[in-house]
Amino acid sequence: MTPSLATARRVVVKIGSALVVDPDTAAPREAWLASVAADVAALRAGGAEVVVVSSGAISLARRSLGLTKRKLRLEEKQAAAAVGQIRLAGAWQAALSAHGLNAAQLLLTLEDSEDRRRYLNARATLGTLLDLGCVPVINENDTVATAEIRFGDNDRLAARVAEMIQADVLVLLSDIDGLYTADPRRDPEAQHLPVVERLSDEIMAMGGEPPPGYSSGGMRTKLIAARIATGAGTAMAIALGEPMHPLAALRDGARCTWFLPTPEGRTARKRWIAGSLAPLGVLRVDAGAAGALRQGRSLLPAGVRGVEGSFGRGDPVAVRDEAGQELARGLSAYDSEAARQIAGRRSDEIETILGWRGRDEIVHRDDLVLLERTGH
């Protein structure tokens, strides 16, 4: 069954500089951005949460800073990003606010997705913003990222964000309506591929080499993004972004290429939590919490009767019932000291107890794996 934007509940949309910035004026393409904002509002009205990954900061500032040569040094890119990011955020804020939506800006580096605690921080922030009804607008933090730690392109950044928030669909808006067997601008025999079930070596070879110019992307990076996203259980589409209302067109069946998620995608992370991580602590829970876990719910502090071991936020812990049987494994949202302080207490008491507001859950269900029961 081909994925659909119409049924997705959590969507990440990646938009490149060439779509955001008018090449003649070096200003935001306001009418086009307004059409995308209208599409986002329509998706939101249908019950979907939407995250935008938008390039364009450097392009918006190049001309005003006199940085018009083709290739910029890293420090010139960082300076341009510092100026252009304000303009980019302002353009999205104006477009989304016209539909009563709150835009939220996040700037991420590769390290934010590689370091476990920073990853958890970023994911928690994104989750909270979505809960509050915001539309997060994410870009790479070019002002501080060095050549060694940069994502290199926002296709891969978008895929990591989709993985981070367990999105149903990642949409890469492009200058082409999907993947072809060869470059259709050079080969009239090139065939459009509406669905890619598996990212084989043959498919990856169709990406070719990234094109020269301002963009750091190209089809090759889109296929790398597809490998990240589909491996995490997220479907991905490459769709034409240039026309007005590109997301509405995709929702209504416009031609694109869908990359199907790998069947084991979502469970791969769960298997990693269950089998590859040695628990650093134990959370002992009462019968009510044990029952809630079996129903697929998160573990709340109120159900925790004891905390054993020494662990940090994001570290693996075992969850045991009152008889000592291991029920689940998960990643703790609190370190062991904080967990001991809030154990047995209601979530609305956490801030009073700790002096800061953390997550309501001590282990979120997304970070929790139920283990097979071996006894009665």
Side-chain angles (χ1 to χ4, degrees):
M1 180 175 169
T2 304
S4 168
L5 196 58
T7 57
R9 299 276 65 90
R10 185 168 277 187
V11 179
V12 176
V13 182
K14 181 266 176 179
I15 301 169
S17 298
L19 294 173
V20 173
V21 183
D22 186 315
D24 296 325
T25 64
R29 297 176 63 214
E30 292 179 357
W32 184 85
L33 288 173
S35 82
V36 174
D39 290 353
V40 170
L43 290 172
R44 286 286 309 278
E49 297 172 326
V50 182
V51 174
V52 174
V53 177
S54 175
S55 305
I58 293 173
S59 296
L60 285 173
R62 287 175 70 123
R63 187 175 300 181
S64 64
L65 295 176
L67 299 172
T68 54
K69 61 181 183 292
R70 202 67 165 164
K71 185 85 170 170
L72 299 184
R73 300 194 310 274
L74 177 62
E75 57 270 26
E76 290 175 329
K77 288 183 179 180
Q78 291 172 324
V83 174
Q85 193 60 47
I86 294 174
R87 299 177 185 175
L88 181 64
W92 278 111
Q93 191 275 333
L96 291 166
S97 66
H99 297 274
L101 299 175
N102 285 318
Q105 182 189 55
L106 279 84
L107 298 176
L108 298 178
T109 66
L110 179 60
E111 284 187 328
D112 295 323
S113 74
E114 296 290 345
D115 179 86
R116 185 167 65 234
R117 285 172 177 79
R118 287 165 69 173
Y119 172 94
L120 289 170
N121 278 332
R123 193 182 69 179
T125 300
L126 279 167
T128 302
L129 287 168
L130 292 171
D131 289 343
L132 292 171
C134 298
V135 178
V137 179
I138 300 173
N139 195 4
E140 185 165 15
N141 195 353
D142 287 309
T143 56
V144 299
T146 68
E148 290 74 27
I149 65 171
R150 294 187 73 246
F151 279 97
D153 61 82
N154 275 351
D155 294 328
R156 279 178 285 188
L157 173 56
R160 296 303 285 268
V161 169
E163 176 187 52
M164 187 181 286
I165 66 170
Q166 296 192 316
D168 300 305
V169 169
L170 166 62
V171 179
L172 303 184
L173 293 180
S174 180
D175 59 355
I176 194 169
D177 58 3
L179 178 65
Y180 287 74
T181 54
D183 188 339
R185 291 165 291 196
R186 299 177 183 175
D187 185 350
E189 301 297 315
Q191 300 292 310
H192 180 267
L193 301 176
V195 177
V196 173
E197 295 185 8
R198 190 174 66 88
L199 284 158
S200 63
D201 291 342
E202 181 185 10
I203 292 292
M204 293 301 292
M206 294 175 188
E209 294 301 315
Y214 284 11
S215 173
S216 57
M219 190 56 69
R220 180 73 182 172
T221 60
K222 288 173 174 51
L223 295 181
I224 293 170
R227 179 169 280 170
I228 295 168
T230 59
T234 298
M236 192 186 97
I238 297 176
L240 194 62
E242 181 68 29
M244 294 288 186
H245 299 285
L247 297 176
L250 179 61
R251 182 198 60 207
D252 296 340
R255 187 155 94 154
C256 69
T257 297
W258 281 105
F259 296 82
L260 304 187
T262 57
E264 71 279 5
R266 276 286 156 79
T267 59
R269 183 170 179 273
K270 297 279 190 175
R271 285 202 305 269
W272 171 68
I273 292 173
S276 303
L277 296 171
L280 298 180
V282 175
L283 302 176
R284 295 195 176 272
V285 300
D286 60 24
L293 294 180
R294 293 191 185 100
Q295 294 172 19
R297 297 179 186 167
S298 299
L299 176 59
L300 300 176
V304 177
R305 290 291 169 260
V307 178
E308 302 170 15
S310 178
F311 51 88
R313 180 170 181 259
D315 281 340
V317 293
V319 181
R320 297 184 179 273
D321 63 15
E322 291 173 305
Q325 180 178 358
E326 188 172 2
L327 304 174
R329 289 188 181 181
L331 304 179
S332 178
Y334 292 89
D335 64 29
S336 51
E337 181 182 353
R340 289 187 178 92
Q341 292 182 62
I342 64 176
R345 308 296 286 268
R346 298 193 318 271
S347 296
D348 60 11
E349 297 179 274
I350 292 174
E351 187 171 9
T352 301
I353 296 167
L354 299 180
W356 49 275
R357 180 68 175 169
R359 297 193 73 154
D360 289 343
E361 313 86 7
I362 201 161
V363 180
H364 193 276
R365 63 185 181 185
D366 291 346
D367 298 326
L368 189 75
V369 183
L370 288 176
L371 302 181
E372 295 292 330
R373 303 189 69 180
T374 55
H376 299 285

